[in-house]
Amino acid sequence: MRYGGRLNRIEFTALIDQQAGRVRANAATLPLYGPATWPGPCRLGAWGWEDDRLMHAGLLFGAPLTATAAPALASAGRDSPGTTVTATAPAPDGPWVEVITTAGPPMPQLIDLRMAATVATRTDRRSVERALRAASTPAPERVTIPVDGVPREFSRWPDEPLGDALGRGWLAILDEVPGLLLRVSGLAPADLALARVRDIEPHLTGTRAHLLAGYDAYGTG
């Protein structure tokens, strides 16, 4: 039963599983990447579709996540347009990496991330225009990060706000098609080597556990 427009736990679990099925069905559409070795937790990052075409797919590696997604999903209807079960807000007390593969060039997705991280500072049209110009500035440096054992040159923005309650870190892109976008906290470029991720089941399992823990912490329906 649903109370006050909020999904009960059975409905919420069904929503998670429905979205996991969509992710699973599309996982081979884009090449997915992550740190070559990562002993800690992993979850889904940001996934986005346009007209049922997968436009970007992210995998998240790092410390336990804050329980912010569960209440919003629990309040949404099962068939809410655009609803996607993801867990993208790492807790700021440990290193973490999000690796997003983009179907097209990664710069538009990077601009979106930079804009979203500064939303609280925008109060009028002029401030939005200033923020857009700032978010579109070229990277001040280039760094080398191995991808499948091959050194690749990434454009890097070294000191960026990463989002609400996430502190600061750095962003980088491999400007190709498909492209790669990195969002990183607590690690230096020299600490990273990326490799293909062919099994997303650990990410689906981690996301499911995280979202259900967030639901339970928020209070049962």
Side-chain angles (χ1 to χ4, degrees):
M1 183 177 294
R2 192 175 305 183
Y3 298 88
R6 184 169 184 266
L7 302 181
N8 64 34
R9 199 177 194 278
I10 293 174
E11 292 174 318
F12 184 65
T13 302
L15 174 61
I16 295 172
D17 292 342
Q18 174 189 340
Q19 295 295 335
R22 187 184 193 191
V23 167
R24 190 180 285 112
N26 286 269
T29 304
L30 295 172
L32 305 177
Y33 287 89
T37 57
W38 190 274
C42 59
R43 295 166 178 83
L44 295 178
W47 289 60
W49 284 263
E50 289 183 9
D51 298 325
D52 290 328
R53 181 190 176 205
L54 183 63
M55 300 304 295
H56 62 267
L59 299 180
L60 183 63
F61 305 80
L65 311 187
T66 55
T68 57
L73 282 170
S75 299
R78 181 184 292 118
D79 299 319
S80 296
T83 300
T84 303
V85 176
T86 60
T88 59
D93 58 351
W96 56 271
V97 181
E98 183 178 16
V99 184
I100 301 172
T101 304
T102 59
M107 190 65 182
Q109 185 71 15
L110 178 126
I111 291 172
D112 286 348
L113 281 180
R114 296 181 84 191
M115 289 287 287
T118 61
V119 65
T121 67
R122 305 200 301 269
T123 58
D124 54 29
R125 189 179 68 181
R126 288 186 177 180
S127 63
V128 171
E129 291 172 350
R130 287 194 299 270
L132 181 57
R133 286 195 298 270
S136 305
T137 54
E141 64 183 54
R142 306 269 292 177
V143 296
T144 300
I145 297 173
V147 179
D148 284 335
V150 180
R152 305 301 300 275
E153 291 295 313
F154 284 71
S155 301
R156 179 176 181 253
W157 291 258
D159 184 19
E160 294 284 319
L162 297 178
D164 187 29
L166 297 181
R168 303 185 73 86
W170 54 273
L171 303 170
I173 61 171
L174 180 63
D175 196 7
E176 297 182 350
V177 177
L180 290 179
L181 166 58
L182 309 182
R183 190 165 66 133
V184 185
S185 176
L187 295 169
D191 298 326
L192 283 181
L194 302 179
R196 280 288 296 270
V197 174
R198 302 184 187 277
D199 181 10
I200 65 162
E201 292 303 320
H203 296 268
L204 293 171
T205 299
T207 298
R208 190 178 196 272
H210 162 64
L211 291 173
L212 288 174
Y215 181 97
D216 293 337
Y218 185 65
T220 59

